[in-house]
Amino acid sequence: LGELRELILSNNKFEGGIPDSVVNLANLNVLNLGNNELRGELPEGITALDKLQILDLSVNFLGGNLPANFGEMTSLVQVRLNTNAVTNGPFFGFTGQIPASVGFLDNLVRFDVFENLLTGTLPSEFGFLDDLAVLDVAFNPDLGGTIPTEFENLATLKELYIGGTNIGGVVPDGLCEIDLYLEVECGEGAPDLTCACCTCNE
């Protein structure tokens, strides 16, 4: 299987963990295990898959911290790790901070981590992502801080979702000058956010 390019096993009811042996698929371009019932953490050494372009582990019961060296998967274009936390259910979902090294994934177009248990703040290094079009960190209740001013450099950004987080402060003016859909939390209990171009999450 050393020459395998795509491993697509989405939309099944596979249980258990992601096999550690997946890190041996050195030529893998696509790993899609989305919409299963997988549990546990990411295999140690997954960041060695430096030819991986699409990583989709969404809609599972995975958890643990994202590797600090996530940015070593330098070919990544799409990352979908969303919907691993179950509302009012068992304790699942990716935890810890979003690795700053993600900001050095030069080819990254989409980064979805909504509906998890991430903490900390948005890394300022995301401002280096010249091709980023979609960033969705919504519904990580303990993700806070502000939107870094470096996000004004994201000229290709089309969609930014921060509703259901604790991100507040002032949205950088430059984000309101590009063609951006920016969805935030509004109403009672929402973080104090000043924004001239935001859409309320409903």
Side-chain angles (χ1 to χ4, degrees), residues 19-60:
D20 291 338
S21 57
V22 74
V23 304
N24 298 323
L25 302 176
N27 292 298
L28 204 61
N29 300 137
V30 178
L31 177 58
N32 185 349
L33 305 177
N35 200 17
N36 282 293
E37 297 178 8
L38 300 172
R39 300 168 187 256
E41 301 185 4
L42 298 180
E44 186 175 351
I46 194 170
T47 55
L49 298 177
D50 58 3
K51 295 182 181 179
L52 199 63
Q53 298 174 11
I54 297 175
L55 175 63
D56 189 343
L57 305 176
S58 61
V59 196
N60 279 290

Side-chain angles (χ1 to χ4, degrees), residues 5-22:
R5 298 292 195 275
E6 298 185 1
L7 181 58
I8 301 174
L9 298 171
S10 56
N11 301 308
N12 290 287
K13 294 185 178 180
F14 292 129
E15 300 179 350
I18 301 173
D20 291 338
S21 57
V22 74

Side-chain angles (χ1 to χ4, degrees), residues 80-94:
R80 300 189 180 204
L81 304 177
N82 56 281
T83 318
N84 275 284
V86 181
T87 304
N88 298 322
F91 189 81
F92 303 111
F94 290 108

Side-chain angles (χ1 to χ4, degrees), residues 102-106 108-111 122-137 147-162 172-182:
V102 173
F104 301 105
L105 295 173
D106 293 339
L108 192 64
V109 172
R110 187 179 192 107
F111 189 74
L122 293 173
S124 61
E125 288 82 358
F126 273 38
F128 297 127
L129 297 172
D130 292 337
D131 294 328
L132 188 66
V134 179
L135 174 59
D136 194 339
V137 299
I147 299 177
T149 56
E150 289 83 356
F151 276 41
E152 292 182 323
N153 300 327
L154 299 175
T156 60
L157 190 63
K158 298 298 182 186
E159 300 174 28
L160 174 59
Y161 301 86
I162 60 172
D173 291 339
L175 283 179
C176 291
E177 295 174 1
I178 62 176
D179 184 19
L180 173 67
Y181 177 80
L182 205 170

